[in-house]
Amino acid sequence: MDARTVEALMHKADLALYRAKAAGRGTFSFYDETLDKQLEERRDLISEMRVAIGGEQFRLHYQPQYSSDGKTLNGYEALLRWTHPTLGPLTPDKFIPLAEDTGLIDPLGRWVLRAACTQAALWPSDLSVAVNLSAAQFRHGDLVEIVARTLDATGLPAHRLELEITESLLMSNTEQVTQALSRLVAMGVRIAMDDFGTGYSSMAYLWRFPFDKLKIDRAFTENLDTDPKVGLIVRSIIALSHSLDIRVSAEGVEKAEQLKVLRKHRCDEVQGYLLGRPVPDDQLVHLGAAEAPDGIVQAQSTAGVEPDSM
Ligand code: C2E
Ligand code: CA
Ligand code: CA
């Protein structure tokens, strides 16, 4: 028997409905005890996140972005880390969706922007910082002001900030989003399209929005050295972007062979464990791979392919 009272039965039916919805349309789900537990864990994590924002548990790691010659360091992408007091290090996919669902992404996103710009203002002036934005952060209409205030407060010139957005934002295609992006561009902030090629393809958005950079998703890079068809797709994406005056970056470069193919196809920028893992700010050295004794080989030997330890 699942329940002895109407309330308990309704509660359990709700949970089953919640799970069925989360699994997508046209599914059904039965109650079982793990559901209660999952919901409880979710609630705990949300309330813990609410308290932790702005404190020591959240930190940014920075992953280098190089020109595809592997020699010029252009800047870093800021990647959020949460060291939970009992669960230990959590990757963003464990908590960003919760933050988005609950609106906590607003204070969290403001903190990320502030922390990243504060750091970047301390770097050599030719280095920029890329900050990830969730579609949810565009909902309230004050994002542009938040960015402007943050640049003002931290003293970071607008052209050294790049905001990474994904297609899901553009699919909503509201006037509000278009206006916000145009105002950010007018301020001098750069806009990059993240995870390109994974969504509902995206060609239509390329000419409608003011992108400076397109980041080819790791799923392509991964297969670049094994499947020639992937190379053809990547080559076409790069050619198309270049004809629209958009720079191209490839994510998730782990092998020298992948880097070679990307160079051949005239990819502008590369990012991945081969060139450098995400690390805390106190471990950044700001070296172009060329400044290291063996150039890219040096970068390779220190980078490895393990995920960052957080
Ligand atoms: P993303 O923006 O696509 O970030 C790249 C992810 O790939 C990062 O995972 C990075 O650590 C990982 N990565 C980098 N190079 C390699 C590689 O060579 N091989 C492999 N296998 N992985 C690589 P991470 O840090 O776990 O972040 C996951 C996602 O969480 C990010 O994907 C981004 O969408 C989101 N995220 C991270 N920080 C923030 C943030 O501050 N705000 C928002 N809204 N989202 C964030
Ligand atoms: Ca990103
Ligand atoms: Ca990405």
Side-chain angles (χ1 to χ4, degrees):
M1 196 186 336
D2 274 343
R4 289 183 188 281
T5 64
V6 175
E7 286 76 22
L9 186 63
M10 291 301 286
H11 166 72
K12 290 176 176 179
D14 267 352
L15 287 182
L17 181 66
Y18 171 76
R19 175 159 74 178
K21 276 188 181 162
R25 281 170 162 272
T27 53
F28 62 93
S29 175
F30 293 107
Y31 170 80
D32 66 58
E33 270 159 23
T34 56
L35 272 183
D36 254 332
K37 199 162 178 302
Q38 281 170 10
L39 197 71
E40 206 179 305
E41 284 168 5
R42 183 186 150 94
R43 283 204 197 111
D44 286 349
L45 215 52
I46 290 167
S47 51
E48 286 155 354
M49 181 164 26
R50 184 165 283 132
V51 178
I53 292 173
E56 305 262 289
Q57 291 173 26
F58 282 103
R59 234 187 138 169
L60 291 177
H61 282 195
Y62 296 90
Q63 184 175 36
Q65 302 179 314
Y66 282 95
S67 291
S68 63
D69 61 5
K71 291 179 182 165
T72 316
L73 176 67
N74 298 326
Y76 299 92
E77 177 174 4
L79 294 160
L80 188 56
R81 300 290 179 256
W82 182 11
T83 308
H84 187 279
T86 53
L87 300 173
L90 297 178
T91 50
D93 22 320
K94 298 264 174 11
F95 61 87
I96 293 274
L98 294 186
E100 290 171 342
D101 287 353
T102 54
L104 285 176
I105 193 69
D106 288 320
L108 191 58
R110 277 198 299 273
W111 179 84
V112 168
L113 197 62
R114 179 73 176 226
C117 292
T118 304
Q119 261 309 314
L122 302 172
W123 300 340
S125 63
D126 55 341
L127 298 181
S128 57
V129 70
V131 174
N132 291 284
L133 290 184
S134 293
Q137 288 173 265
F138 281 78
R139 249 174 236 152
H140 300 306
D142 57 354
L143 181 72
V144 181
E145 283 71 28
I146 291 170
V147 172
R149 262 187 273 130
T150 307
L151 290 173
D152 205 39
T154 58
L156 186 73
H159 72 271
R160 292 179 59 198
L161 174 64
E162 187 163 82
L163 298 174
E164 298 196 359
I165 59 169
T166 53
E167 260 181 279
S168 62
L169 173 70
L170 302 179
M171 282 174 57
S172 62
N173 193 14
T174 58
E175 189 57 23
Q176 190 191 3
V177 170
T178 318
Q179 269 192 17
L181 289 177
S182 306
R183 287 175 61 203
L184 288 166
V185 170
M187 277 162 54
V189 172
R190 290 181 285 149
I191 309 289
M193 186 193 261
D194 206 355
D195 304 338
F196 186 82
T198 52
Y200 288 83
S201 216
S202 337
M203 300 299 171
Y205 303 121
L206 284 185
W207 56 270
R208 258 192 245 151
F209 291 93
F211 293 111
D212 296 279
K213 189 194 281 181
L214 182 155
K215 297 185 77 177
I216 299 180
D217 192 76
R218 172 151 58 89
F220 291 93
T221 312
E222 225 166 46
N223 296 303
L224 209 50
D225 53 330
T226 51
D227 189 342
K229 279 194 208 134
V230 178
L232 289 175
I233 296 173
V234 166
R235 192 177 71 182
S236 313
I237 296 176
I238 295 172
L240 176 73
S241 304
H242 282 174
S243 63
L244 293 165
D245 227 3
I246 299 171
R247 286 168 59 76
V248 182
S249 163
E251 302 189 278
V253 181
E254 293 184 355
K255 299 183 194 157
E257 194 55 36
Q258 296 163 345
L259 180 63
K260 207 170 125 194
V261 180
L262 289 163
R263 271 194 200 141
K264 191 175 87 191
H265 296 325
R266 305 169 53 105
C267 188
D268 302 285
E269 195 172 87
V270 284
Q271 188 178 344
Y273 296 161
L274 176 68
L275 299 121
R277 283 179 271 163
V279 290
D281 55 81
D282 52 10
Q283 290 178 33
L284 297 177
V285 283
H286 306 315
L287 281 187
E291 293 163 55
D294 300 318
I296 193 76
V297 182
Q298 169 83 9
Q300 238 171 291
S301 62
T302 53
V305 289
E306 289 302 307
D308 52 321
S309 56
M310 316 218 343

